[in-house]
Amino acid sequence: MNVQARVTRRYRFCAAHRLHAQELSDDVNRKVFGKCNNLHGHGHNYTVLVTVKGDIDPQTGEVTDITRLDDLVNTKIVERFDHRHLNHDRAFQDVVTTGENLAKFIWDELVEEIPVGQLAKIGLIETRDNYFEYQSD
């Protein structure tokens, strides 16, 4: 009988962004996004929580290969965004850099490449008060 479990790994990066929707006027953007619409942007110390689910391997006792997962997330997410401005990344040229959109982007980047197991959830901590979660149903 297969026994399933979940494992969550935590990753961190620092990045700047500006909340601004191209299709909205500058006035509306200021009203909708407030101080987060600052022309020069603002920064966050992001924490990304990557949850993988799967069968517990009877030999290793693990759900996934942690070393390979760490390499994947560090290469595709942390190195790409750390000490960068998210609005300057090609992925966000036509997408507002909200936490919701960033969490979905991270999901899309990782979902097909999880080394063992299946991606279950992405959690994104942006501030003490802002936590975003994405999972595909």
Side-chain angles (χ1 to χ4, degrees), residues 1-5 53-58 61-64 116-118:
M1 176 179 175
N2 293 341
V3 178
Q4 289 230 323
K53 66 181 177 180
D55 295 335
I56 298 175
D57 183 290
E62 297 180 331
V63 169
T64 193
V116 179
Q118 178 183 5

Side-chain angles (χ1 to χ4, degrees), residues 24 43 50 55-56 61 78 93 96 98 107 109-110 125-126 134:
L24 301 177
V50 177
D55 295 335
I56 298 175
V78 176
Q93 289 190 336
V96 181
T98 61
W107 172 280
E109 283 294 292
L110 300 179
I125 301 169
E126 182 183 66
Y134 185 85

Side-chain angles (χ1 to χ4, degrees), residues 95-115:
V95 179
V96 181
T97 56
T98 61
E100 295 92 336
N101 283 332
L102 183 55
K104 182 184 181 311
F105 174 82
I106 293 168
W107 172 280
D108 291 343
E109 283 294 292
L110 300 179
V111 68
E112 298 296 327
E113 299 198 35
I114 297 299

Side-chain angles (χ1 to χ4, degrees), residues 19-35:
L19 295 181
H20 187 84
Q22 296 296 342
E23 60 276 356
L24 301 177
S25 70
D26 287 345
D27 227 20
V28 172
N29 269 293
R30 279 190 296 276
K31 287 177 186 169
V32 170
F33 299 119
K35 66 181 181 180

Side-chain angles (χ1 to χ4, degrees), residues 9-11 64-79 115:
R9 295 285 288 172
R10 183 179 314 209
Y11 306 91
T64 193
D65 183 326
I66 297 294
T67 301
R68 287 176 53 205
L69 179 64
D70 288 351
D71 288 344
L72 173 68
V73 177
N74 283 319
T75 300
K76 293 199 101 42
I77 305 303
V78 176
E79 292 173 11

